[in-house]
Amino acid sequence: MTAATHSTLFPQVPETPDAVLDGLDPEQREVALALHGPVCVLAGAGTGKTRAITHRIAYGVRAGILQPATVLAVTFTNRAAGEMRGRLRQLGATGVQARTFHSAALRQLQYFWPKAVGGELPRLLERKVQLVAEAAARCELRLDRNELRDVTSEIEWAKVTQTVPADYPAAVAKTQRDAPRDPAVLSQIYSTYEQLKRDRSVIDFEDVLLLTVGILQDRSDIAEHVRGQYQHFVVDEYQDVSPLQQRLLDLWVGDRDDLCVVGDASQTIYSFTGATPDHLLNFRTRHPGATVVKLVRDYRSTPQVVHLANGLLSQAHGKAADHRLELVSQREKGPEPVYTEYSDEPSEAESTARRIRDLIAAGVPAGEIAVLYRVNSQSEVYEQALADAGVPYQLRGAERFFERAEVRAAGTALRGAARAGRNDSLLDEAEGLPSQVRAVLSTKGWTSRPPAGSGAVRDRWESLAALVRLAEDFEAARPGATLTDLVRELDERAAAQHAPTVQGVTLASLHSAKGLEWDAVFLVGLTEGMMPIAYAKTDEQVEEERRLMYVGITRARVHLSLSWALSRSPGGRASRRPTRFLNGLRPGSAPSGARSGTGGGGGIDRGTGRAAASRTPAVERKHRGPVRCRVCGRTLTDAGEMKLMRCEECPSDMDEALYERLYDWRAAQATLLGQPDFCVFTEKTLMAIAEAVPSTEGELVVIAGVGNRKLSRFGTDVLAICAGETVDGEPEGGVGET
C-alpha cells in the first residue's frame, strides 16, 4: 500500500527538463535547482518533501547535470523507496538507484565479498528471533514471546549504535536506557547470539551494514570503486539516521560534498532503534557552506488540522523542539478536530466504526480513512467493530502487496491471458481493458460485490479489487492500452514496490503510519499511560511521544477525530485521564501543568452509545496534566511520588511537627470511625499535606489522596491543624509538640 492520493491516474512524463519544475512552489523549486554542494532540506509534515527531492533528481538527470547511474537516493523503508522509484519513473528519470540503506549495502556486500573476504557471502538471517531464543536458552533463560521481542530489539539497538556485547552494560548506564533484562544478563545473551551466528555462518540485517562499513574502511580500493560509481547522494528522513547508517554514509560520500539530506526533527519517532536527529540538527555545523531550505507550506492538511499540530509542538521542549517548523496550511478551511470522551473502549470503537460508516456514506472512500493507535494490541476491538458495521478494513504492516499469494496468482493469470490474446475464451465477451481484467480475475476470486464480513477472504478480494481499479485508471490515462501493456506496468510497479491503493479503512499503529496520509484520521486511545506510553519516563522519552502524536495528527487531510475512554471495559472504574498533550488545546482544558476544568461543555463531544448512560458524571472527574516533581521538575509516574509531588530522592521541606500532629489526629479519627488509619489518609498523603501546608480548601483538594469526599469530611480539621489551631478530638498535647 502506498500513501493515499486523490488520483491514481498515470501522469504524462514531462516533455522538457524545465517542465519538471512546473508546479513547484518557490522553496521546492529552490531545492530542485540546488544540484551542487551540501544541501539540507528541513521539511515539515505535508510540505511536499518527496515531490521536491524527486523533482530535484529528475531535473538534474533530464538537464544532463546528473548521470542517472551515479545517483543514489536512500531512505528507510521499502515502501518509501518504491514510491520514490515510481515518481522518478513518472518524471522520466529512469536508472536512478532509490533504495533503503540495507538494500544498497547488501548489493555492495554481495558484489565485493568474494574480492574482499573470499568465498560466498554468509546466508542472510531473515528473522533473528529464533536464534535469540536459542541464545537465551543456552544462558539458561526461557523468554516468553514479548520478552523475546524486547531482547531482540535491544540487540538490534546495540548493533546500530555500534555497541559490542562487552560494552553493552556501560552503554545502558550512560544512555539511561531501560533494558528489558539485567544488562549483564542481556550482554551474555547478545554475546551467545553472535557466537551462534558465527558457528552457523549466517549474518543478520545489522551485520549487512557493519560488514559493508568494515570492507569500505579496510579496503581503500573498494571504497574508491564505490565512490566512483555513486557521486551524488540524497538521504530522505535524515532525522532517523542511526550512528551506524551515518558511518556508512560518510564512507560512501568520502571527502566530497554532493550530498542532499531531507528531514524534520519534529518527526523523530524511532530513537528506540538508535535513530537520532543530531545528524540533521548538526548538518550546518559539519557543512558550514551548506544550502539550507525550509519547507513550511503544508499542502496536505486544512488550517484546522495544522493549527492543532502547531499547538502541540508549541508545548514541546528539548533540542528538536528548538528547531521546530511552524507549518502554514495552503488549503481551504475545513471542519474543526473532534474531541470525544467515552466511558469504555468498546463504546469508543463502536462509535468510531459508526462515524466511519457515515463518512463513507457521505462519499469519503474507505481507503481514505485510517484508525491510528499507539500499540498494535489496540487494533482487535476496532477490527471487530468495523466488521460488525460492515466496513472493509486492512491492517497496516501486513506483507507487501506484490508478495501476496493472490496478487502473484493474478499476475500469472493476466500474463497468460495477455499471451493468448483473443484465443482466450475468457475474453470473448470482454470489451476494453478493465472488462478483460475483471474476466480474468473472476477466476481467482474477484466478484462485482465484496464478500460479507472480514478476514482472509475479504483481504484477498480487496487485493484483486485494487488490480481492477488500477486497470480502470490505466485505460483512462492511456486509451487503447492492452493487457500486455498492463502486465508490463504491473511488472515495473512490482520491481519498484509501487503498489496500488487497497480500498479499505486502514488500521495502523502511529509508528507504521509515518509517511502516509488520509482524508480522515481517527486517533484513538489517547489516555495517559498509552499516550504518552507508561514506560516513557524521562523528559526526552515523553517528548518523543509528543512527536509521535504530532505525526498522527499530521496524517489527516480534512477530518480529524481524537478520542479516549475512561475505562477499559463496560462498567469498569473510570480512572483514566485524557493525554496531557491535549491540555490547553482541546476545548475546556487548561494548559499543561495547570489544573484542567472538571469536564463538560467546552465543545467536547462526550460520545454516544450504549454505555453513555453508565458514564460517571463529568463533574465528578478531575483531569490533571502531567505531575512533575516540584523540586527537580522531572515527570512523575510512581503513585507514591505523585502524591508527594516530588521524587523520593529529592530533598523534602516537610514540616515535621505538622506531620506528627496530622499523624496523631489521623489515628484518633480512625479509632473513632472503627477503620484502619489509611482509610482516613495514607502516610504519603499526610506527608504531602505537611510539605504543602495548604491554607485553603482549593490548595488542599488538589493534593493527591484528598479529593472532594475527604475534603468535605476532614477538610476543616486538616486546615485548622495546618494553621496551628487545636481541633476537637485531637490528642492531648500542645501545638507543635511531638
Side-chain angles (χ1 to χ4, degrees):
M1 173 187 159
T2 59
T5 55
H6 288 292
S7 172
T8 57
L9 296 179
F10 299 80
Q12 297 296 316
V13 174
E15 293 183 359
T16 65
D18 287 342
V20 173
L21 303 177
D22 291 347
L24 299 181
D25 69 29
E27 293 79 24
Q28 292 171 343
R29 190 182 181 91
E30 188 175 348
V31 172
L33 293 174
L35 293 170
H36 299 289
V39 178
C40 180
V41 183
L42 301 176
T47 58
K49 69 177 180 63
T50 305
R51 177 181 175 83
I53 59 176
T54 52
H55 281 68
R56 176 184 186 270
I57 294 170
Y59 176 73
V61 169
R62 297 286 300 278
I65 301 171
L66 304 178
Q67 296 302 311
T70 67
V71 180
L72 178 59
V74 289
T75 187
F76 286 82
T77 66
N78 287 310
R79 182 203 56 78
E83 181 182 354
M84 192 178 293
R85 287 192 293 268
R87 292 201 190 193
L88 289 170
R89 185 165 62 90
Q90 292 168 353
L91 292 170
T94 57
V96 173
Q97 293 292 313
R99 297 185 172 276
T100 64
F101 270 99
H102 282 88
S103 173
L106 181 59
R107 286 195 69 186
Q108 293 175 18
L109 194 60
Q110 290 170 331
Y111 184 81
F112 291 112
W113 184 269
K115 180 179 180 179
V117 181
E120 292 186 2
L121 179 69
R123 180 175 60 86
L124 182 62
L125 192 65
E126 293 291 340
R127 296 180 69 250
K128 59 172 69 69
V129 172
Q130 291 179 337
L131 208 59
V132 173
E134 185 175 341
R138 292 198 177 191
C139 296
E140 300 183 348
L141 288 171
R142 187 170 183 175
L143 306 178
D144 63 30
R145 185 173 63 180
N146 291 332
E147 290 175 319
L148 192 56
R149 181 195 61 209
D150 292 344
V151 169
T152 300
S153 297
E154 197 68 5
I155 290 174
E156 290 172 349
W157 173 83
K159 298 188 75 165
V160 300
T161 55
Q162 304 169 81
T163 304
V164 298
D167 295 340
Y168 173 76
V172 169
K174 182 179 180 181
T175 59
Q176 297 182 314
R177 187 174 178 84
D178 286 332
R181 283 266 174 171
D182 178 87
V185 173
L186 217 151
S187 173
Q188 186 181 7
I189 298 174
Y190 178 15
S191 178
T192 306
Y193 166 75
E194 291 296 312
Q195 184 60 52
L196 284 172
K197 284 197 293 125
R198 287 191 292 271
D199 292 344
R200 297 175 188 181
S201 296
V202 295
I203 59 175
D204 59 27
F205 278 99
E206 289 71 41
D207 291 329
V208 170
L209 300 185
L210 286 163
L211 291 170
T212 305
V213 164
I215 288 175
L216 294 178
Q217 280 186 162
D218 295 342
R219 293 290 298 269
S220 59
D221 57 328
I222 293 177
E224 289 306 314
H225 185 120
V226 172
R227 292 167 192 158
Q229 170 70 50
Y230 297 116
Q231 299 169 21
H232 306 275
F233 296 86
V234 177
V235 185
D236 193 12
E237 303 289 3
Y238 193 56
Q239 76 278 353
D240 292 329
V241 166
S242 71
L244 180 55
Q245 288 164 332
Q246 180 62 47
R247 190 173 173 190
L248 177 59
L249 180 63
D250 289 340
L251 288 165
W252 280 342
V253 176
D255 57 3
R256 298 165 299 173
D257 60 4
D258 274 330
L259 172 64
C260 174
V261 300
V262 189
D264 178 10
S266 296
Q267 295 187 68
T268 305
I269 59 173
Y270 298 112
S271 66
F272 60 90
T273 68
T276 170
D278 290 347
H279 304 298
L280 175 68
L281 299 178
N282 298 332
F283 190 83
R284 193 69 178 268
T285 301
R286 297 179 66 205
H287 304 276
T291 299
V292 179
V293 184
K294 294 183 179 180
L295 304 182
V296 297
R297 302 176 197 247
D298 189 318
Y299 298 95
R300 175 188 299 158
S301 305
T302 62
Q304 286 73 18
V305 173
V306 168
H307 178 71
L308 177 59
N310 285 337
L312 181 69
L313 286 189
S314 71
Q315 299 179 357
H317 306 282
K319 189 174 181 180
D322 293 340
H323 293 78
R324 72 183 182 90
L325 299 169
E326 186 86 12
L327 300 178
V328 181
S329 176
Q330 305 298 299
R331 299 193 57 165
E332 296 293 326
K333 290 183 178 180
E336 292 289 340
V338 176
Y339 303 85
T340 314
E341 183 175 275
Y342 296 95
S343 60
D344 53 72
E345 288 182 5
S347 295
E348 183 180 12
E350 291 165 14
S351 180
T352 299
R354 286 194 297 270
R355 292 173 63 186
I356 288 173
R357 188 175 58 193
D358 292 343
L359 279 176
I360 294 173
V364 180
E368 294 284 7
I369 303 173
V371 178
L372 306 181
Y373 34 76
R374 177 60 180 84
V375 295
N376 287 321
S377 61
Q378 293 173 275
S379 74
E380 184 176 359
V381 67
Y382 291 93
E383 293 177 56
Q384 186 62 54
L386 290 171
D388 291 345
V391 175
Y393 69 88
Q394 57 174 330
L395 280 172
R396 176 86 185 136
E399 61 187 330
R400 297 183 201 169
F401 181 83
F402 287 106
E403 293 175 1
R404 298 175 187 174
E406 66 271 18
V407 174
R408 293 199 304 269
T412 300
L414 290 170
R415 202 168 287 109
R419 283 196 301 267
R422 282 300 174 179
N423 294 323
D424 192 330
S425 59
L426 276 173
L427 307 181
D428 286 347
E429 304 297 325
E431 292 296 332
L433 179 60
S435 294
Q436 293 173 3
V437 171
R438 293 189 199 101
V440 174
L441 297 188
S442 65
T443 66
K444 299 300 176 184
W446 181 84
T447 57
S448 58
R449 295 177 63 84
S454 60
V457 173
R458 181 60 182 254
D459 290 343
R460 287 193 293 270
W461 184 90
E462 291 289 353
S463 296
L464 299 177
L467 293 175
V468 171
R469 285 190 299 273
L470 185 70
E472 293 168 350
D473 290 346
F474 191 66
E475 186 187 55
R478 302 179 188 176
T482 66
L483 264 179
T484 300
D485 296 329
L486 179 64
V487 167
R488 186 180 302 113
E489 173 67 23
L490 288 175
D491 288 342
E492 291 178 359
R493 281 175 168 257
Q497 284 299 324
H498 186 202
T501 301
V502 175
Q503 283 301 316
V505 173
T506 298
L507 297 179
S509 70
L510 287 164
H511 281 101
S512 65
K514 179 77 166 60
L516 303 175
E517 59 186 78
W518 296 270
D519 279 348
V521 168
F522 290 79
L523 298 181
V524 299
L526 299 177
T527 60
E528 285 289 310
M530 194 59 75
M531 177 54 69
I533 200 74
Y535 52 74
K537 296 180 180 179
T538 68
D539 287 344
E540 179 48 41
Q541 288 170 339
V542 170
E543 286 306 311
E544 179 147 337
E545 293 288 300
R546 187 194 305 276
R547 295 194 295 269
L548 186 58
M549 186 167 171
Y550 172 79
V551 166
I553 289 171
T554 55
R555 300 310 94 193
R557 296 195 192 102
V558 181
H559 305 280
L560 177 62
S561 173
L562 306 97
S563 63
W564 57 93
L566 298 177
S567 68
R568 181 173 184 177
S569 55
R573 183 166 172 263
S575 58
R576 294 175 171 177
R577 302 194 308 275
T579 174
R580 72 192 73 171
F581 296 147
L582 292 177
N583 290 346
L585 300 175
R586 61 182 174 88
S589 67
S592 186
R595 276 193 75 206
S596 301
T598 54
I604 300 178
D605 178 2
R606 291 289 173 188
T608 57
R610 58 175 172 79
S614 65
R615 184 182 300 119
T616 304
V619 294
E620 295 181 10
R621 295 188 299 271
K622 297 194 294 293
H623 299 305
R624 293 192 176 101
V627 179
R628 296 185 183 277
C629 174
R630 54 192 169 79
V631 180
C632 70
R634 182 176 71 86
T635 300
L636 303 177
T637 56
D638 177 80
E641 291 183 340
M642 291 170 69
K643 283 190 175 183
L644 292 175
M645 295 291 289
R646 64 172 173 81
C647 306
E648 286 279 8
E649 62 269 24
C650 281
S652 169
D653 54 356
M654 182 177 71
D655 185 330
E656 297 285 351
L658 175 58
Y659 174 78
E660 292 297 335
R661 287 190 62 201
L662 289 168
Y663 188 93
D664 292 340
W665 166 84
R666 182 188 71 162
Q669 289 293 322
T671 300
L672 187 65
L673 296 171
Q675 295 178 339
D677 290 4
F678 67 81
C679 289
V680 180
F681 288 119
T682 66
E683 291 188 19
K684 283 280 174 42
T685 299
L686 291 184
M687 293 173 65
I689 294 171
E691 290 183 350
V693 193
S695 59
T696 66
E697 289 188 350
E699 293 175 352
L700 177 59
V701 75
V702 298
I703 295 175
V706 179
N708 287 320
R709 185 174 63 84
K710 291 189 177 181
L711 176 70
S712 63
R713 194 169 192 179
F714 306 121
T716 301
D717 282 2
V718 171
L719 289 174
I721 294 172
C722 289
E725 302 169 4
T726 303
V727 300
D728 293 337
E730 184 178 325
E732 294 294 324
V735 174
E737 292 180 13
T738 61

